[in-house]
Amino acid sequence: MKPPENITTIEQMEADNAMLKQNACAVCAETYDDRVKAQSPHCKFGEGGICCKNCSMGPCRITAKAPRGICGADAHAIAARNYLRSVAAGTSSHSDHAREILHVLRNASPEGNYKIRDEQKLLSLAKEWEVPTEGRDIYDIARDVADIGLMEFGKPEGTQRFVSRATPERQKVWAEQGILPRAIDREVVTAMHMTHMGNTADAEFLVRQGLRTSIANGWGGSMLGTEVTDILFGTPTVRTTEGNLGVLEKDMVNIVVHGHDPVFSEMVVTAAEVKELTDYAKTKGAKGINIVGLCCTANEVAMRHGVRMAGNFLQQENAILTGVVEMMCVDIQCIFPALPQLAECFHTKFVTSSPIARIPGATHIEFKPETAFQQAKDIVKMAVDNYQNREASKVCIPPSKKNAVVGYPTEQIIKHLDGVTNSHVDELGSYKPAIDAIKAGVLRGAVAIVGCNNPRVRPDYSHFEIMKELLQNDILIVATGCAAQVATKAGLLNYDAKYYCGAGLRRVCELVHIPPILHMGACVDISRMMLLATGIAKDWGVDTTQIPVVGCAPEWMSEKAVSIANYVVSTGLDVYLGIEPQVSGSAQMMELITEGTRKITGAGYIINTDPHELVKNILAGIEAKRTALGI
Ligand code: CUV
Ligand code: SF4
C-alpha cells in the first residue's frame, strides 16, 4: 500500500528546500547552510564544553597537556559550569516570556486591548491559589492572580507553587534531594553565582543546581506562561489547519509572524481580519491578507485560530526566499539575526517588536500592550502597502502543504478519552482509558517529541524517522515546538497518519478519533506534557518515573531545550537526545547527565545521534518500564 496523499516524504521536503536554495543563489543571498560550511569544523573545545572564559585570566582550554585552567578548574568543573549557564539562560527565556504575559494579564480590562478569554481557567487557578472569587469582578480576580504569579519570580521565601501539582512521590524526591525550586529569579541568579570564577568546582553540585533551576522553568515559568496564555487567549481546542511553505499565497498579502510571545502575534492576527484592512488590500490588487506562522508562534496561533503554519526553525530563511512575503514580524527567541539582510534581497519588510530582541537592519516598532491593536493595524497596513513592491521574477513558492489537526492541551486529550460525544471538559475527566490501553498492551506507551531542527544532522530527517518508527510500534506521540511542525509538514498530524501505525495504535486512534501524533503546542507548553504525564501517573497510582512515557528531542539546539531536558528528567522521565549536549570533554559530566541524575530524580539522558538507533533505545526503555510495572 502506498502512503496516502496527505503524507509526504523527507525527499519531497528536501526538494522544496533545494528549489529555494536556487532562489537564494539567484539573488546572491547567503543562507544557514553556507554559514554551516564556513563554521566547519566546529571548535573542539566548545563542542566538548571545555573552554572557560568566566574570568579574564582566561580563556582557558583543557587539553591533555593543560588539564586545568589557570585557577585550577578542571574539565569537569568547566563543562558543568557551562552546562548550568545554559540551563539558566533557557529558564530565563521561558520565564521572562511568561512574566511579560503576566503583566498583560495584570492590566487586562474589558475596554482594553487584552481581555479574559477563558474565565473558567482563571477561576480554577484562583481557587488553586486561594484567591477569593465570590461575587468579584473577573478582572479584579485576574489582577490578584497575576500579582501572585509575578511573585513567583522574586518571592523572598517558599518554593514554586505549581510543584504541588506533581505526584506526591515527585514532590518528596525534590524535597529530599534539595532541588525544590525557590523563586524563579533566585534559581537563575544562584546558577550564575555558582558558576562565577572561584565558586563551585564540583560538577555534581552544578548538575543539581541545573535540575533545580530547570524545575523553576517547567513547574514555574513555563507553566505560568501556558496557564496565563490560555486565560488571555483561550485554551486551545481541536481544529484543522495546514502547514508548510505552500500556505504562502501568490495573490495575497503574506505576513509571517515569527517568534514566541502570543501577546504580539494574537494582535497581528486580529488586525489582519479587520475589514477595513482586507478591503484596503483589495484596492492594492491583492485578494486579501494571508497571515501565517513560523516557529513556536505558529503553534500558538494555529492552536487558537487555525492560522496556517509556514514551517519550523530552519525554514525561517526559506519563507523569505519564496519572494512573496510582504512582511515578517518577529517578537522574541529563535529568530536568525541573518533575516534583515536576507529580506533586503527581496521586497520583504522585516519588523522587530521587542526591546529585548533588537536586530541590526530591522525596522523596529516597539510593541506596547496599551497601544497594541492600533500598532498591529499599522503593521498590517505597512505590509499591504508593500504588496506592490513584490518582484514577479523572484517568486518561487514550493507547492507543498499538508492538512494538520492541532490543539490537544490536556483538557482536550481527557475529553477525547472520555468519548467524543461527551462534550464537557472538567476536572472529573480521567486518563483511565489510556492507562487501560497501555496496560492491555494495545498501546505500548507514549513519547513526547519536542524541540528544534538542527543542521548538525540531516534537518527534519531524525524527527521524521523517529516518528514513523514509533507509530509503527504502537507508541502514541505528543509533540510541541518545531517537532510538531515536522509532523505537520510531513502530514503526520492528520487522521491519515494511521497508515503508519501498528494495529493497536490504529485502533485507539479510530476509537477516540485522534491523529496518532497529538499537537500540544509551543515549547512553553511542554509544561502541559508534564501535567499529562503527572495525570497519567496519578490515575495509575504510581510516580511519573514509573510510567512508560518518555521525552525525545531528536534535533534540539537552543538553551531553552537544555533547560527543558533537565526539567523533564527532574520530573522522572527519561530524555532521548539525538544531539549530544556540549559536555563531552568531561567524562564525569557525561556520566552525570546519563547516569548520575538517575540517583537524584530516577531519570537521565540517553544519547544517540543515529535516529534508528535512538528509536531502538526508546523502545527498549519503554519495554523496561512496562516490565517493571508487571505489564
Ligand atoms: Ni520554542 S526552541 S527552534 S521555536 S523548538 Fe523551534 Fe520552539 Fe526550538 Fe525555537
Ligand atoms: Fe580560566 Fe579559571 Fe578563569 Fe575559567 S575561571 S577562565 S578556568 S582561570
Side-chain angles (χ1 to χ4, degrees):
M1 190 167 111
K2 87 181 201 330
E5 231 164 77
N6 250 323
I7 296 176
T8 191
T9 59
I10 185 78
E11 287 77 17
Q12 180 54 49
M13 281 153 69
E14 289 175 341
D16 295 344
N17 295 344
M19 186 168 138
L20 289 162
K21 184 65 192 173
Q22 276 179 1
N23 226 23
C25 295
V27 297
C28 299
E30 175 196 272
T31 56
Y32 77 80
D33 45 313
D34 300 311
R35 295 187 296 271
V36 168
K37 282 190 198 105
Q39 285 293 341
S40 299
H42 288 282
C43 165
K44 289 285 167 223
F45 299 99
E47 221 160 32
I50 46 172
C51 169
C52 180
K53 49 180 186 53
N54 291 10
C55 89
S56 80
M57 292 192 285
C60 299
R61 299 174 304 176
I62 300 304
T63 62
K65 246 176 57 206
R68 285 177 183 269
I70 291 167
C71 65
D74 61 11
H76 316 305
I78 292 174
R81 291 196 303 213
N82 290 336
Y83 181 74
L84 177 53
R85 284 197 169 197
S86 289
V87 177
T91 299
S92 305
S93 305
H94 279 146
S95 304
D96 206 35
H97 160 177
R99 198 176 201 154
E100 287 294 329
I101 299 174
L102 274 159
H103 280 290
V104 174
L105 177 67
R106 192 169 189 274
N107 294 313
S109 73
E111 312 78 39
N113 285 309
Y114 296 94
K115 302 177 180 52
I116 310 289
R117 288 270 153 70
D118 192 338
E119 292 193 5
Q120 225 32 59
K121 198 146 192 166
L122 173 65
L123 290 174
S124 72
L125 186 55
K127 191 171 151 214
E128 184 177 340
W129 287 352
E130 291 166 354
V131 172
T133 56
E134 244 348 89
R136 294 185 70 198
D137 183 83
I138 194 82
Y139 287 88
D140 291 336
I141 299 169
R143 202 179 170 87
D144 286 355
V145 165
D147 280 339
I148 295 178
L150 285 164
M151 280 304 284
E152 290 297 281
F153 290 83
K155 58 186 180 187
E157 50 191 27
T159 52
Q160 287 296 298
R161 285 172 177 265
F162 283 146
V163 297
S164 65
R165 291 178 168 191
T167 60
E169 297 91 331
R170 230 359 57 191
Q171 295 179 50
K172 194 159 162 261
V173 166
W174 291 341
E176 282 174 3
Q177 293 293 335
I179 54 173
L180 267 176
R182 300 159 294 173
I184 300 164
D185 289 359
R186 182 69 201 270
E187 297 309 345
V188 171
V189 168
T190 297
M192 296 308 285
H193 187 182
M194 282 175 81
T195 54
H196 185 276
M197 190 271 154
N199 269 346
T200 304
D202 185 329
E204 184 191 327
F205 294 92
L206 295 160
V207 167
R208 282 178 177 274
Q209 180 58 22
L211 298 171
R212 194 178 195 184
T213 309
S214 77
I215 304 172
N217 178 5
W219 294 84
S222 278
M223 204 169 275
L224 283 165
T226 297
E227 289 278 332
V228 177
T229 302
D230 284 354
I231 290 169
L232 281 170
F233 305 114
T235 302
T237 49
V238 174
R239 56 192 75 227
T240 308
T241 181
E242 289 180 324
N244 212 350
L245 291 171
V247 302
L248 292 165
E249 298 288 348
K250 200 158 151 244
D251 42 19
M252 292 176 90
V253 174
N254 291 302
I255 302 177
V256 180
V257 283
H258 172 17
H260 285 78
D261 185 351
V263 168
F264 177 62
S265 50
E266 281 277 335
M267 224 24 108
V268 179
V269 168
T270 310
E273 282 162 5
V274 170
K275 185 164 182 304
E276 159 201 339
L277 283 165
T278 50
D279 286 348
Y280 183 59
K282 285 176 193 147
T283 68
K284 299 283 173 179
K287 282 203 176 134
I289 301 169
N290 181 38
I291 293 259
V292 300
L294 209 110
C295 274
C296 276
T297 283
N299 295 317
E300 297 276 6
V301 290
M303 293 216 299
R304 294 197 179 81
H305 303 280
V307 167
R308 299 185 298 168
M309 302 182 272
N312 52 4
F313 179 62
L314 287 179
Q315 246 167 324
Q316 50 188 300
E317 291 178 314
N318 279 354
I320 293 179
L321 287 170
T322 61
V324 295
V325 174
E326 273 58 54
M327 178 183 285
M328 182 179 278
C329 41
V330 305
D331 47 81
I332 47 164
Q333 302 168 11
C334 301
I335 300 146
F336 274 12
L339 295 178
Q341 227 180 342
L342 183 63
E344 259 171 40
C345 301
F346 296 86
H347 73 303
T348 307
K349 281 212 180 313
F350 186 82
V351 176
T352 53
S353 62
S354 167
I356 61 148
R358 300 288 308 249
I359 304 172
T363 304
H364 186 69
I365 300 175
E366 193 167 319
F367 200 68
K368 299 219 164 71
E370 315 81 68
T371 45
F373 189 49
Q374 188 54 47
Q375 283 184 298
K377 284 196 289 186
D378 294 346
I379 287 172
V380 171
K381 180 170 180 294
M382 206 165 126
V384 173
D385 285 332
N386 196 24
Y387 182 70
Q388 65 197 31
N389 298 324
R390 197 189 283 182
E391 292 164 85
S393 64
K394 291 184 180 172
V395 170
C396 166
I397 314 177
S400 311
K401 60 179 173 190
K402 294 291 164 204
N403 291 329
V405 185
V406 301
Y408 290 94
T410 50
E411 292 90 339
Q412 193 68 42
I413 293 175
I414 286 210
K415 183 169 153 182
H416 275 264
L417 292 173
D418 259 2
V420 270
T421 46
N422 182 355
S423 63
H424 74 277
V425 178
D426 57 29
E427 295 160 55
L428 299 174
S430 117
Y431 294 103
K432 288 253 158 64
I435 295 169
D436 291 342
I438 295 174
K439 282 185 178 164
V442 181
L443 288 182
R444 304 306 295 176
V447 177
I449 305 193
V450 305
C452 332
N453 54 0
N454 190 328
R456 247 177 198 278
V457 292
R458 186 175 164 188
D460 291 345
Y461 173 76
S462 296
H463 282 285
F464 203 168
E465 292 300 296
I466 291 170
M467 285 174 184
K468 280 190 300 193
E469 287 184 31
L470 290 177
L471 296 183
Q472 276 154 12
N473 283 285
D474 292 323
I475 307 275
L476 181 75
I477 296 175
V478 290
T480 56
C482 291
Q485 292 184 21
V486 179
T488 307
K489 292 192 288 182
L492 296 178
L493 282 191
N494 61 57
Y495 303 112
D496 287 349
K498 67 183 180 204
Y499 165 83
Y500 279 115
C501 300
L505 177 58
R506 184 175 311 156
R507 211 159 76 227
V508 170
C509 289
E510 282 168 355
L511 202 67
V512 298
H513 196 58
I514 49 168
I517 302 184
L518 300 176
H519 181 292
M520 290 190 82
C523 298
V524 284
D525 296 329
I526 296 173
S527 58
R528 298 190 202 274
M529 293 172 162
M530 296 306 96
L531 295 177
L532 176 66
T534 300
I536 293 172
K538 281 183 177 168
D539 285 349
W540 198 311
V542 296
D543 186 19
T544 23
T545 200
Q546 293 172 271
I547 58 175
V549 174
V550 301
C552 175
E555 303 185 26
W556 70 275
M557 62 85 204
S558 74
E559 289 172 313
K560 288 178 287 176
V562 184
S563 178
I564 293 166
N566 270 278
Y567 76 64
V568 176
V569 163
S570 299
T571 306
L573 308 173
D574 285 329
V575 175
Y576 293 77
L577 300 175
I579 305 272
E580 196 174 65
Q582 291 168 341
V583 298
S584 61
S586 156
Q588 188 192 352
M589 271 306 285
M590 287 304 282
E591 201 277 335
L592 276 167
I593 60 173
T594 54
E595 293 303 324
T597 55
R598 289 177 196 282
K599 291 177 213 116
I600 307 170
T601 72
Y605 296 163
I606 296 89
I607 306 162
N608 205 317
T609 51
D610 177 333
H612 304 282
E613 291 301 315
L614 196 61
V615 168
K616 284 187 199 151
N617 299 148
I618 294 173
L619 294 174
I622 284 183
E623 291 307 321
K625 300 257 178 205
R626 295 184 61 94
T627 309
L629 280 165
I631 55 172

